[in-house]
Amino acid sequence: MTLFKALGFKWDRTNVPANLPTHSIERVAFRFHRMLPEFVWDASVLEGNPLTFAEVKTLMDGVTVGGRKVSDQEQVLDILPALKGEDSYGAMHEKPLA
């Protein structure tokens, strides 16, 4: 029994376009870095962090946000290395994302 059958999924490959566009690594990396603030904000919201998107972008630019808990700011700044493929000490993983 296949996994799809066991889970009750049906897959019809005829609905998938045969000629999907491909992009260069440079373009993919550019888009990832452009979307990075949104990824960080999404992850922080899932953790219950009250910072707004604009505040997250400000933190990522290296400016602190007044009137917010330090723990909330640290949580956002701790998400960033994980998305960049670094460990908590700034060392790169074997295969970095960008």
Side-chain angles (χ1 to χ4, degrees), residues 27-43:
R27 179 166 171 80
V28 172
F30 169 78
R31 291 184 65 130
F32 173 77
H33 284 290
R34 192 178 75 191
M35 297 293 296
L36 192 57
E38 189 172 344
F39 296 149
V40 171
W41 180 74
D42 286 342

Side-chain angles (χ1 to χ4, degrees), residues 61-82:
D61 290 336
V63 180
T64 59
V65 178
R68 294 296 190 169
K69 291 182 182 178
V70 174
S71 61
D72 290 339
Q73 294 182 31
E74 288 176 349
Q75 182 185 39
V76 168
L77 295 175
D78 287 343
I79 293 170
L80 192 57

Side-chain angles (χ1 to χ4, degrees), residues 14-35:
T14 60
N15 292 332
V16 179
N19 54 352
L20 291 174
T22 58
H23 300 288
S24 68
I25 292 174
E26 291 80 15
R27 179 166 171 80
V28 172
F30 169 78
R31 291 184 65 130
F32 173 77
H33 284 290
R34 192 178 75 191
M35 297 293 296

